[in-house]
Amino acid sequence: MTITHSQTTAETWKTRRYLRLDANKTAELSDGEGGTVSIRILDMSAAGARLQIDRPFEFPETFSLSVTTSARTEGVTVRCRLRWQRDLEAGVTFF
């Protein structure tokens, strides 16, 4: 039997401090040195997010993440701290 992310989330939601919601949004990571990388936000909460990139990439320890909320707004930029990275996914906390 294969356990999907949604099943894991449903089983472990009681151990999380904040509710995590599916996001499926495109964002841009900025390393503060002029470099940017397109990524996908898979899910997020008030405290952090799970990110995915389409190629091997070593996430910096801290970075800015910019998300366009709609065509009519400038979007939101948050500062992130890397908590974990596995293959093409990473978990971050906001600060």
Side-chain angles (χ1 to χ4, degrees):
M1 180 172 116
T2 302
I3 297 176
T4 66
H5 174 69
S6 60
Q7 289 171 318
T8 302
T9 302
E11 293 169 4
T12 61
W13 70 269
K14 292 179 183 180
T15 63
R16 294 195 183 274
R17 190 174 201 176
Y18 299 99
L19 177 65
R20 208 167 262 278
L21 302 172
D22 288 338
N24 197 27
K25 293 192 176 287
T26 302
E28 189 171 87
L29 177 153
S30 174
D31 63 11
E33 298 177 10
T36 59
V37 177
S38 292
I39 63 162
R40 179 152 302 281
I41 302 173
L42 298 175
D43 58 44
M44 62 191 309
S45 72
R50 184 169 59 108
L51 311 176
Q52 182 181 53
I53 192 158
D54 62 358
R55 60 181 169 77
F57 176 77
E58 187 173 333
F59 284 82
E61 184 179 329
T62 61
F63 55 89
S64 294
L65 189 63
S66 299
V67 184
T68 302
T69 54
S70 76
R72 291 176 270 154
T73 64
E74 292 182 21
V76 176
T77 300
V78 293
R79 292 289 296 155
C80 298
R81 177 169 284 115
L82 181 66
R83 303 304 293 174
W84 58 267
Q85 181 173 359
R86 288 183 209 100
D87 299 323
L88 301 178
E89 291 187 7
V92 299
T93 54
F94 303 137
F95 70 98

